[in-house]
Amino acid sequence: MSILKIVSKVNITEDLWNESLDGHSIIPEEFDGITYYRVVKKVGDLKKGTVVTDSGVIYDFPRIARIMHLENGVKLAFNNPFYVEEKVDGYNVRIVKVQDQVFAFTRGSYVCPFSTDRLVDFFDYENFFKENPDLIVCGEIAGPENPYNGESPPYVTEDVSFFAFDIRNKNSDRQIPMRKRYKLFDEYKIPTVTRFGRYTSSDVKDLKKHIQGLNEKGCEGLVFKPTDPSEKTVKYVTEGSCLRDMKVTSSLMIEYQAEFFTNRMLRSIFYILEHDLPLNEEFLKKAGDALLQPLFESVKKVAGGEMITEKFKVRFNKKQNIKKLFEHFHKCKVAASPVRHEKVGKHWHVEFVRKCFPSYEVIQKHWDGHSHFD
Ligand code: ATP
């Protein structure tokens, strides 16, 4: 179907489409011979993150509101039963069939060459999309060997795994009911996030037990999904995940908005107060280390004339996709360069480093003695 016909189904006229292309609110991209369009600024009802293809529109993955207090938050959010799932710490992909190929799109609406290469290791997607070409499988790719995220769940000890949590339709931003989603996951043996089941807001005792268990294991948190479509999905995270977030990002603190850290400090304080944990030496030391130790290492490096870098390891099925990942980084203005690659068993193991210029340049100027107003 032509692109104009596709977008007309989501109320985008030919004029608006052409204007949006001219004004760079919609950007054409190509991957493996397929053209797709990234919505980078809202156009009509299409929000940033939406992808338009000639096989249909893939709506953006919606933001999830956060609750800071588990008991009060759940009571305020839900009058009806809701489903509870683990919130897995990785990166979001939308897996979808475009023409006769299946791709994994990132939240930023790019085809991710790494995730697309690895789909074959996650589930029998050929079979799923042969029977359901208009569905989109949304989930988290998580594990220590991923190209984006410094954190991973404790139970993925090497490489990456896939955890589905949502199924959507092309050309629609409406949700498929939870029961139907779970049925499809089971029918097609698609691995999912841990499903804790169906609860109501009077089950706070059980919910507290689940989150405390996750905190002890080193997991990120919970997502609460309504059975009544007029209620909204909310998320709640563990104290441990706040400290880990700070620890993996504080080496590049200069590149982050201050709120990134204040929000996490506040969340961890709310958590320990609600769950009766002590503000003891161990917590204070962990929080202090998370904030200051990596930053200290960065400043020390730059003072010694060294670049700040982040190291990554990833595994690929097809050698030709390694190059595509670096082309993708180049497009996204990420200064990543390969260090080495070798075939180990069935996968290509690739190591690369990302040079962190913005942090390096600021620290270097300060160290060299340049004055500034703050
Ligand atoms: P947001 O997407 O809410 O704006 P964000 O981009 O900072 O915020 P997070 O705080 O990590 O992301 O929370 C939302 C993300 O959590 C989702 O985009 C999804 O990728 C991920 N996630 C992990 N597990 C689940 C789950 N069980 N259900 C829904 N999303 C999940």
Side-chain angles (χ1 to χ4, degrees):
M1 204 184 291
S2 84
I3 284 290
L4 287 174
K5 210 161 179 188
I6 294 274
V7 291
S8 72
K9 289 194 200 166
V10 291
N11 302 323
I12 306 285
T13 60
E14 182 170 352
D15 282 351
L16 181 55
W17 177 257
N18 289 332
E19 253 171 50
S20 307
L21 281 172
D22 289 346
H24 306 292
S25 301
I26 293 181
I27 307 213
E29 295 284 346
E30 215 215 282
F31 191 89
D32 275 358
I34 303 274
T35 300
Y36 65 98
Y37 297 84
R38 302 175 49 235
V39 177
V40 296
K41 264 187 235 143
K42 194 168 185 290
V43 173
D45 290 337
L46 305 183
K47 295 195 192 123
K48 184 178 168 196
T50 300
V51 182
V52 179
T53 73
D54 62 7
S55 303
V57 176
I58 307 147
Y59 275 78
D60 59 299
F61 189 82
R63 299 199 62 198
I64 301 177
R66 182 185 307 283
I67 54 170
M68 297 283 284
H69 191 281
L70 177 62
E71 180 166 355
N72 296 340
V74 159
K75 286 191 168 146
L76 265 186
F78 300 106
N79 289 316
N80 293 293
F82 50 86
Y83 284 86
V84 179
E85 294 177 355
E86 182 185 341
K87 183 175 194 302
V88 173
D89 199 357
Y91 63 92
N92 182 297
V93 287
R94 285 163 288 166
I95 304 170
V96 64
K97 187 167 192 174
V98 181
Q99 292 176 18
D100 56 355
Q101 297 188 62
V102 177
F103 299 106
F105 286 92
T106 62
R107 206 112 188 257
S109 63
Y110 284 104
V111 170
C112 171
F114 168 74
S115 314
T116 302
D117 176 90
R118 297 303 305 274
L119 290 179
V120 63
D121 299 313
F122 301 152
F123 64 99
D124 186 357
Y125 67 83
E126 294 283 6
N127 183 37
F128 177 83
F129 288 109
K130 197 166 90 201
E131 292 172 18
N132 306 283
D134 291 326
L135 293 184
I136 302 163
V137 178
C138 307
E140 203 81 349
I141 295 181
E145 294 171 61
N146 82 79
Y148 306 117
N149 197 341
E151 279 175 87
S152 73
Y155 44 81
V156 187
T157 52
E158 57 168 30
D159 199 9
V160 286
S161 301
F162 175 67
F163 304 90
F165 47 69
D166 214 344
I167 295 195
R168 291 171 175 260
N169 278 302
K170 285 177 183 162
N171 306 321
S172 159
D173 60 353
R174 261 175 310 175
Q175 309 247 15
I176 289 187
M178 296 293 297
R179 244 188 246 273
K180 191 167 170 205
R181 268 184 241 179
Y182 286 173
K183 198 165 161 269
L184 282 164
F185 288 148
D186 294 340
E187 194 180 328
Y188 290 94
K189 297 192 172 56
I190 301 177
T192 68
V193 294
T194 301
R195 298 175 244 168
F196 289 102
R198 203 175 134 114
Y199 292 87
T200 67
S201 53
S202 54
D203 297 321
V204 170
K205 224 169 140 196
D206 288 332
L207 300 179
K208 283 195 171 169
K209 225 167 50 202
H210 291 321
I211 197 77
Q212 286 162 10
L214 291 172
N215 194 34
E216 276 155 28
K217 279 193 230 140
C219 300
E220 192 188 12
L222 291 172
V223 181
F224 305 89
K225 303 188 170 176
T227 49
D228 174 349
S230 71
E231 294 181 339
K232 63 171 187 251
T233 300
V234 294
K235 62 190 178 191
Y236 178 74
V237 295
T238 57
E239 157 268 325
S241 85
C242 301
L243 300 193
R244 283 190 300 279
D245 275 2
M246 297 198 297
K247 192 170 175 178
V248 299
T249 39
S250 67
S251 61
L252 305 177
M253 197 180 270
I254 287 160
E255 293 172 42
Y256 283 79
Q257 303 239 329
E259 295 85 67
F260 181 90
F261 294 97
T262 36
N263 287 340
R264 280 159 182 79
M265 283 190 253
L266 201 59
R267 282 176 212 161
S268 66
I269 297 292
F270 267 66
Y271 188 97
I272 60 174
L273 272 174
E274 182 180 359
H275 299 277
D276 294 324
L277 297 175
L279 187 76
N280 57 15
E281 286 299 317
E282 190 197 338
F283 174 82
L284 292 171
K285 178 164 183 342
K286 261 207 252 164
D289 279 353
L291 276 170
L292 296 178
Q293 187 71 44
L295 186 61
F296 172 80
E297 300 300 336
S298 288
V299 177
K300 199 168 140 196
K301 260 192 192 155
V302 180
E306 244 185 274
M307 171 54 73
I308 306 170
T309 55
E310 286 186 325
K311 292 191 177 69
F312 292 85
K313 261 164 72 180
V314 287
R315 300 180 191 186
F316 276 87
N317 284 305
K318 293 198 180 131
K319 196 175 180 198
Q320 67 265 34
N321 288 335
I322 302 173
K323 194 164 153 248
K324 291 181 195 161
L325 178 67
F326 290 98
E327 286 165 3
H328 171 67
F329 282 143
H330 183 71
K331 217 183 276 173
C332 301
K333 302 193 169 46
V334 173
S337 36
V339 175
R340 64 194 203 101
H341 63 268
E342 63 171 329
K343 187 104 188 241
V344 183
K346 66 174 188 146
H347 286 132
W348 284 93
H349 289 223
V350 179
E351 288 177 27
F352 68 90
V353 291
R354 183 172 88 82
K355 289 189 176 152
C356 308
F357 286 109
S359 287
Y360 173 80
E361 280 161 9
V362 173
I363 296 171
Q364 192 192 37
K365 269 196 161 173
H366 291 332
W367 195 260
D368 287 349
H370 293 277
S371 62
H372 71 290
F373 291 102
D374 55 14

